Amino acid sequence: MGFHVPDFLRPWRATHHADELQVGREGLEPLLASSLSNEPCLPRFSESSEGIMRDIDRDANAVVTAAESRAVRRKIDLIILPLLIWVYFLQILDKTVLGFSAIFGLPEDLDLRGNQYSLVGAIAPIAQLVIQPVSSWLIVRVPHRVLMPALVLGWGLAQTATPFCRDFAQLMTARFFLGVFEGGCLPLFSVITGHWYTRGEQPLRVAAWYGTNGLGTVFAALLSFGLGRVGEGHGGLRGWQWIFLSTGILTVITVPFVYLRLDNDIHSARFLTESQKIGALERVRGNQTGSSSTKENWKWKQIREVLLDIKTWLFLGMALGNNLGAQVTITFGPLILSGLGYDKYTTTLLNIPFGVMQYLVIMFTAWGAVRLRLKAPTLCAMILIILAGLTTLHTLPRSQNQTGGLLAGFYCLAFIFGCNTLVVSWILANTAGQTKRAAVMSLYNAASSTGNIVGPLLFRTQDAPAYLPGLRTTMGVFAAMLVLVLVQVGVLAGLNKRQERRRVGRGKPARVGDVSVARSDARVGERAFDDLTDLENDEFVYLY
């Protein structure tokens, strides 16, 4: 007679790559027997946890079945995930339409001269870079249900004000505040994803909202095509003004829906029953990353650990390199498409296939990383594809008969956006402690912003139309990023060996899975919600 292994037990096959509960082969049989008999197999909460966990721990029968765990995940997918997808989509849309506005007269109407339009494009990432220390603090201290709507309202108002700008200074001011409020978006979304989902579920969920990079490009192209053609002159506004106004209003009216639907954390989740809160907390116990119920405590010692942790700097190097290289798509996208001889409307529509490919790449790579349970090898494969695309763009001459090859090389660069997804999920899987996670994700966003600022400087006007020096530099950047990934694998493997030695020295088995389901005084996971960092918790297992 066959049986079904519950989703949260599947990672037993490779403990050192386990993405959910850290269960080894030795712990498999009692778990399977428990699932067949419908008896609980998960440990109780520890006395050191807060709020609801104290109440649960007093009840010796506070347990969760596999069916309850799946039901909880479905609820989270229906309530939390759609909010993340929609709001991140709005953030991407509000940034993307700037590029399309240039086609419909923004530089001419505001009399932008010299490099002023380039500065308009750079001011938002500069603002994001400046605001990152504040973002880290806010993510830890301000409830998510309050912080997210506040950020959405801020950048929505900045977007709505943009069509009424009359000169370069006003436009720079509007775009600066857009960057200020969007600066906390990616780190906040990453922390929220890490709180609600297991490490095995995180890559696909990160991909679900980060994948809107591609969908935002597609929708921005369609919206710009429609409003640029139909809205021109209506209500005394130009086409580019209608583009900004419509996206800004759409963002602002989203604010009350976000506030009404979002919950701060599992403990206060209104859409979960008390028993389902137990299930939700037990599902993420194996993450060993703490509970955001402790988010009111900003811990400076975790900030020090961030700065001294070598894997933090390796992740930041990946973020910097990947986003610096992403500027190639901005530089060569218009260059290749305009060389085909189409008008501004057709050129706008030709951005749609690249947006679709971005989305497909992000989702496929995330699915592959989860399916294979191999983050680093998947990331290396994508970098090699990017290098192939850059080599093609560097080698082929800029002529009409080479358009197909140039487009193929350009579309290979869509894998850049898949790299970002994997790096984010890799960070979440290997960073514990609420303050530390918020700080690392804010630093990640700062590194990304730095890449977005520096990237355009690699492509100088005098190097047009081939921009060969910039392409060569970008190839070097991705080659260096490949090295960083390999070094990170070595660092994480070494940290796992260190963790094993620490466990043995404290009288615990070397492999976490040996006692992951044991009801004993040395239960693995008993300090999972104590807001320990990954370096402090000897039960933490690093993934690669």
Side-chain angles (χ1 to χ4, degrees):
M1 178 179 176
F3 54 83
H4 172 70
V5 180
D7 291 342
F8 59 84
L9 302 182
R10 293 181 185 275
W12 70 273
R13 290 173 294 180
T15 304
H16 66 290
H17 286 303
D19 287 332
E20 298 184 42
L21 291 181
Q22 297 161 2
V23 180
R25 290 179 182 273
E26 296 84 353
L28 179 64
E29 291 184 4
L31 286 171
L32 292 182
S34 176
S35 67
L36 287 172
S37 63
N38 201 37
E39 291 187 5
C41 60
L42 296 173
R44 296 180 292 120
F45 293 101
S46 71
E47 291 288 354
S48 58
S49 302
E50 299 177 344
I52 187 174
M53 289 185 278
R54 284 197 299 266
D55 297 333
I56 294 169
D57 194 61
R58 285 195 293 266
D59 180 3
N61 297 316
V63 291
V64 183
T65 66
E68 289 171 339
S69 177
R70 289 193 295 269
V72 167
R73 184 176 59 189
R74 284 194 294 270
K75 272 196 170 184
I76 297 172
D77 280 342
L78 289 173
I79 301 296
I80 301 298
L81 189 58
L83 282 174
L84 298 179
I85 292 172
W86 175 246
V87 175
Y88 202 82
F89 168 78
L90 289 176
Q91 185 240 172
I92 294 298
L93 179 64
D94 289 350
K95 287 194 299 189
T96 304
V97 293
L98 176 66
F100 292 101
S101 70
I103 302 176
F104 293 98
L106 180 146
E108 294 78 12
D109 288 352
L110 272 61
D111 194 27
L112 301 183
R113 301 179 182 181
N115 65 346
Q116 287 184 334
Y117 180 76
S118 298
L119 292 174
V120 169
I123 190 62
I126 290 174
Q128 291 180 8
L129 179 61
V130 171
I131 203 65
Q132 286 316 303
V134 179
S135 295
S136 298
W137 185 84
L138 290 174
I139 290 170
V140 175
R141 296 301 299 270
V142 179
H144 298 164
R145 189 185 180 197
V146 174
L147 182 57
M148 186 187 292
L151 296 177
V152 176
L153 178 62
W155 87 62
L157 291 175
Q159 185 80 348
T160 306
T162 302
F164 303 105
C165 296
R166 292 293 177 263
D167 55 35
F168 171 68
Q170 292 179 4
L171 184 60
M172 286 285 284
T173 301
R175 299 301 292 181
F176 176 83
F177 281 104
L178 182 86
V180 165
F181 287 100
E182 288 185 341
C185 188
L186 188 145
L188 174 62
F189 278 46
S190 301
V191 169
I192 290 175
T193 304
H195 172 70
W196 290 92
Y197 290 103
T198 68
R199 294 199 287 181
E201 296 162 354
Q202 287 168 15
L204 282 176
R205 272 66 182 187
V206 170
W209 51 261
Y210 189 81
T212 58
N213 272 284
L215 298 181
T217 300
V218 172
F219 190 78
L222 291 171
L223 184 69
S224 300
F225 176 82
L227 293 178
R229 181 184 292 269
V230 178
E232 187 69 32
H234 283 71
L237 299 177
R238 296 289 308 277
W240 68 268
Q241 291 175 305
W242 279 112
I243 294 170
F244 279 111
L245 187 60
S246 61
T247 54
I249 292 175
L250 180 62
T251 301
V252 171
I253 64 176
T254 294
V255 172
F257 295 99
V258 175
Y259 179 78
L260 291 172
R261 297 290 286 174
L262 185 63
D263 283 303
N264 293 325
D265 49 40
I266 293 173
H267 309 80
S268 60
R270 294 160 295 170
F271 64 92
L272 296 176
T273 65
E274 291 304 305
S275 62
Q276 287 175 332
K277 290 177 183 178
I278 298 172
L281 284 164
E282 281 289 7
R283 276 170 29 81
V284 297
R285 177 187 290 276
N287 290 353
Q288 297 284 350
T289 52
S291 167
S292 68
S293 63
T294 58
K295 61 179 176 292
E296 69 273 9
N297 297 319
W298 175 267
K299 297 183 177 180
W300 285 107
K301 67 175 184 177
Q302 293 192 10
I303 298 297
R304 290 193 295 271
E305 183 174 308
V306 167
L307 300 177
L308 296 175
D309 192 346
I310 185 173
K311 71 178 189 299
T312 297
W313 299 104
L314 291 171
F315 281 134
L316 296 184
M318 296 177 207
L320 175 64
N322 196 65
N323 286 278
L324 187 149
Q327 296 306 306
V328 180
T329 64
I330 298 173
T331 302
F332 276 91
L335 178 65
I336 293 174
L337 296 178
S338 63
L340 300 179
Y342 295 107
D343 61 25
K344 61 183 179 181
Y345 299 107
T346 306
T347 300
T348 300
L349 293 177
L350 285 174
N351 282 275
I352 293 176
F354 186 74
V356 171
M357 189 165 182
Q358 284 182 49
Y359 180 76
L360 294 177
V361 164
I362 290 171
M363 296 307 297
F364 178 77
T365 53
W367 175 85
V370 172
R371 187 75 173 178
L372 300 175
R373 306 193 190 283
L374 299 172
K375 291 180 174 61
T378 305
L379 188 54
C380 289
M382 289 193 295
I383 294 174
L384 292 175
I385 294 173
I386 294 166
L387 285 171
L390 289 169
T391 302
T392 301
L393 291 173
H394 182 270
T395 304
L396 293 181
R398 301 301 182 269
S399 59
Q400 195 68 29
N401 62 346
Q402 297 292 341
T403 298
L406 291 170
L407 280 174
F410 176 69
Y411 284 137
C412 283
L413 304 186
F415 283 85
I416 291 174
F417 299 90
C419 288
N420 267 335
T421 305
L422 274 184
V423 172
V424 168
S425 63
W426 204 10
I427 293 173
L428 291 178
N430 289 289
T431 308
Q434 296 307 309
T435 302
K436 184 176 182 179
R437 298 183 88 188
V440 170
M441 288 313 306
S442 291
L443 286 173
Y444 171 90
N445 209 30
S448 300
S449 298
T450 303
N452 291 332
I453 296 167
V454 175
L457 301 179
L458 302 179
F459 297 87
R460 303 174 300 173
T461 303
Q462 59 264 39
D463 296 328
Y467 297 99
L468 295 182
L471 277 175
R472 285 194 292 270
T473 303
T474 307
M475 292 166 66
V477 167
F478 277 98
M481 185 175 168
L482 185 63
V483 174
L484 290 178
V485 173
L486 296 176
V487 172
Q488 187 72 293
V489 170
V491 168
L492 296 176
L495 286 173
N496 275 340
K497 291 294 184 183
R498 172 179 174 269
Q499 294 287 70
E500 289 182 5
R501 290 193 298 270
R502 290 175 64 194
R503 287 192 290 269
V504 170
R506 294 174 182 178
K508 300 178 182 180
R511 299 296 292 270
V512 172
D514 292 345
V515 294
S516 63
V517 295
R519 298 179 183 275
S520 67
D521 293 335
R523 291 193 303 266
V524 170
E526 68 173 343
R527 303 192 69 189
F529 301 121
D530 285 352
D531 197 24
L532 300 175
T533 67
D534 50 278
L535 294 178
E536 292 173 335
N537 186 359
D538 63 8
E539 295 171 3
F540 192 93
V541 175
Y542 295 93
L543 309 180
Y544 49 88

